[in-house]
Amino acid sequence: MIAIVDYGIGNLGSVTKGFRHVGAEVRVNGEPEILRGASALVHPGDGAIGATKEEIERPGLVPLLREAVEGGTPLLGICIGMQVLFEESEEHGVFQGLGLLPGRVRRFDDALPVPHMGWNELRSHREHPLLEGSADGAHVFFVYNNPTDLLRRHVQRSIWHSMTSWER
């Protein structure tokens, strides 16, 4: 069972619907004992990193997320739920993340329109497991506002009007 971490905020309904659409058995829950028994965790979210971190600290979920990652349980962060997994974020000031992923979430330093949410064409320059089953030119939903140091090392930032190029 995949557990979607419920910490009081986030896009729980959309995430749950998406997983169920592809046939996954999911459960939305914020109870540590239920989350510990999951085969994988999904940490969704919407909002800003400061409030998100407070909301996952309040019920004591930070140690649980660390324990899961250290124990090898897959953890998928979505939106701010991913951003908070990094060491730091520059969103609305500088905030400490959980440090489960190396690097800092930074502001785009050029004239890209942000935030961007919308359907755009995917242009791949190499094969990658994340793109398996996606045809070049397929329309995919993009949501981005802030790149990470980790992303910059692995993805060539030639994003303009939401066209993405992957490094070779």
Side-chain angles (χ1 to χ4, degrees):
M1 178 263 309
I2 298 170
I4 299 173
V5 181
D6 183 357
Y7 56 99
I9 60 175
N11 43 4
L12 300 172
S14 298
V15 172
T16 302
K17 186 176 179 179
F19 274 94
R20 288 186 177 149
H21 179 75
V22 297
E25 178 190 347
V26 295
R27 184 169 178 186
V28 177
N29 202 288
E31 298 296 322
E33 57 276 0
I34 301 295
L35 298 175
R36 280 189 180 95
S39 59
L41 296 174
V42 178
H43 188 246
D46 60 30
I49 188 169
T52 298
K53 191 170 177 199
E54 286 176 14
E55 292 301 320
I56 60 174
E57 287 172 339
R58 188 182 334 259
L61 294 176
V62 173
L64 182 133
L65 294 174
R66 290 186 193 287
E67 173 188 308
V69 169
E70 290 168 3
T73 301
L75 172 61
L76 170 65
I78 299 175
C79 196
I80 197 69
M82 177 64 136
Q83 193 177 135
V84 77
L85 301 179
F86 284 88
E87 294 167 318
E88 284 186 324
S89 174
E90 294 178 356
E91 182 187 36
H92 306 297
V94 177
F95 288 89
Q96 294 297 308
L98 301 180
L100 297 173
L101 292 172
R104 182 180 221 185
V105 178
R106 300 185 183 275
R107 303 290 299 171
F108 275 113
D109 54 3
D110 49 23
L112 291 174
V114 291
H116 172 75
M117 291 185 277
W119 292 94
N120 302 107
E121 284 186 26
L122 180 67
R123 295 285 179 212
S124 175
H125 293 261
R126 71 175 176 97
E127 288 186 24
H128 192 280
L130 288 175
L131 302 175
E132 192 172 307
S134 297
D136 199 43
H139 280 81
V140 296
F141 193 78
F142 283 83
V143 178
Y144 60 79
N145 194 24
N146 302 302
T148 67
D149 293 336
L150 183 64
L151 183 68
R152 288 176 192 224
R153 285 195 297 271
H154 297 286
V155 178
Q156 174 185 339
R157 254 188 352 107
S158 63
I159 304 171
W160 187 254
H161 297 291
S162 310
M163 300 303 282
T164 303
S165 298
W166 294 87
E167 267 184 353
R168 293 187 185 274

